[in-house]
């Protein structure tokens, strides 16, 4: 299985630090934040990885090289203009389109079992699953963008898009963690002219898929997860790890 790590962002929430170094290389508990996503993938035997680059991307490429030092094979997708998650994914289509693949954000720490996630997704591909997003409960879910899943994990609402025929089904409101497993047909919902424009998977592609009756699933995760996109959240993560309140099994 191949994977993509999204690392092209400008890291504006971490200014002025990210004026000098890319967000992916900002240290968290002694290591660049991108290493957490890479080591998680490696722990589960996923070593063929593409990383998209934009802001100060040459520093990321210089630091990681071809990935051999970490036991990985790393390819780079360079974006002269920032393409957001959807545009970045579409640009990497030639690398990813052959089979099921994983996409992970750079700026999250998560103590997730990828084997359980992949097993859940594989089981649901028999029900037509096109994508499985790792979701978590959060009282601020609506603020960051929420979705509703039923007891079997099927997503019935994604932001403002909803499966109209299932309004009476009991659901649970959750929010996205930044980890997802995708089937190549996700690219069928990206228009040909999308290749040259900036667009979002969560705001554009997934709602479009849901409205076309594609089956999207949510894998509920209740373990340790921390966004590290701001200085205060990096501090929270470091304090949790140092105090032993959280562990990352793949380190």
């Amino acid at each position: 299985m191949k994977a993509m790590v999204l690392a092209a962002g400008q890291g504006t929430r971490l200014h002025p630090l990210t004026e000098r170094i890319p967000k992916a290389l900002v240290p968290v508990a002694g290591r660049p934040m991108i290493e957490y996503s890479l080591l998680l993938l490696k722990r589960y035997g996923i070593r063929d990885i593409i990383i998209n680059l934009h802001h100060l991307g040459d520093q990321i490429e210089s630091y990681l090289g071809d990935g051999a030092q970490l036991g990985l094979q790393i390819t780079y997708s360079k974006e002269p203009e920032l393409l957001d998650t959807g545009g970045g994914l579409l640009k990497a289509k030639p690398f990813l389109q052959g089979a099921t693949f994983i996409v992970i954000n750079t700026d999250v720490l998560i103590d997730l079992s990828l084997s359980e996630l992949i097993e859940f997704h594989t089981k649901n591909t028999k029900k037509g699953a096109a994508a499985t997003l790792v979701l978590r409960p959060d009282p601020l879910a609506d603020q960051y963008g929420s979705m509703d899943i039923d007891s079997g994990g099927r997503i019935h609402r994604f932001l403002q898009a909803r499966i109209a025929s299932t309004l009476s089904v009991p659901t649970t409101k959750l929010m996205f963690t930044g980890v997802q497993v995708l089937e190549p047909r996700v690219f069928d919902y990206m228009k040909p002219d999308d290749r040259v424009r900036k667009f979002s998977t969560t705001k554009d592609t997934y709602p479009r898929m849901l409205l076309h009756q594609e089956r999207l699933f949510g894998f509920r995760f209740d373990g340790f997860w921390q966004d590290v996109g701001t200085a205060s959240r990096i501090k929270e993560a470091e304090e949790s790890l140092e105090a032993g309140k959280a562990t990352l099994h793949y380190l």
Side-chain angles (χ1 to χ4, degrees), residues 89 99-103 121 130-133 180-186 201 206:
L89 190 60
T100 306
F101 59 93
I102 292 179
V103 181
H121 176 77
T132 297
L133 283 70
Q180 58 232 281
V181 184
L182 305 176
E183 294 301 313
R185 72 176 183 276
V186 68
T201 50
Y206 296 149

Side-chain angles (χ1 to χ4, degrees), residues 111-143:
D111 192 39
L112 172 69
S113 168
L114 290 186
S115 59
E116 291 181 10
L117 169 63
I118 293 167
E119 181 181 3
F120 177 86
H121 176 77
T122 301
K123 178 185 69 175
N124 285 308
T125 56
K126 298 173 184 177
K127 303 176 185 177
T132 297
L133 283 70
V134 180
L135 306 177
R136 60 183 294 273
D138 194 296
L140 300 177
D142 285 332
Q143 179 179 330

Side-chain angles (χ1 to χ4, degrees), residues 178-193:
V179 182
Q180 58 232 281
V181 184
L182 305 176
E183 294 301 313
R185 72 176 183 276
V186 68
F187 294 115
D188 296 342
Y189 294 88
M190 298 177 181
K191 302 173 184 177
D193 60 353

